[in-house]
Amino acid sequence: MADTDTKNRTQTVLKTAKPPLYKVILVNDDFTPRDFVVRILKAEFRVPEAQALGIMLTAHTKGSCVVAVFTKEIAEEKSTRATEIARDKGYPLLFTSEPEE
């Protein structure tokens, strides 16, 4: 048998970078009715009733609460749409989005 000099090649595997995630935050106000906040959370963010109540109460007691985490585009779209729904009904309810650490 011939003595061959073989070298192992390392294979480079490219991974797609995950997009940065953004938090949608519910900011408490003292004017928007609690049941309206729960309805928006259920409709726009598809959270169950019990979770929506928990989010609303946390925002009420702590001043704000993370609703959900999405890619930047979806977080911005959902926070804008939920805020606009509230404004259309005359409420100052505010949803914002910010990068997740």
Side-chain angles (χ1 to χ4, degrees):
M1 237 189 234
D3 193 12
T4 58
D5 188 16
T6 60
K7 294 181 182 177
N8 290 334
R9 291 185 180 179
T10 58
Q11 185 176 9
T12 304
V13 178
L14 299 176
K15 290 187 177 182
T16 305
K18 292 182 181 177
L21 296 176
Y22 280 67
K23 302 180 281 191
V24 174
I25 299 168
L26 166 61
V27 180
N28 184 57
D29 68 73
D30 294 328
F31 303 102
T32 307
R34 292 179 178 190
D35 64 324
F36 182 78
V37 176
V38 170
R39 277 196 317 240
I40 285 193
L41 291 169
K42 288 170 58 179
E44 186 61 37
F45 298 97
R46 307 282 191 244
V47 295
E49 176 104 13
Q51 186 178 351
L53 281 167
I55 292 168
M56 179 271 300
L57 287 173
T58 300
H60 181 71
T61 57
K62 295 188 175 186
S64 66
C65 182
V66 174
V67 175
V69 178
F70 302 101
T71 59
K72 181 179 182 181
E73 293 78 18
I74 294 173
E76 289 175 349
E77 177 183 325
K78 286 188 172 285
S79 61
T80 299
R81 194 163 49 215
T83 300
E84 286 175 352
I85 291 169
R87 296 288 153 64
D88 287 347
K89 297 291 184 183
Y91 298 121
L93 186 63
L94 176 64
F95 289 84
T96 63
S97 61
E98 66 181 45
E100 185 179 50
E101 286 87 39

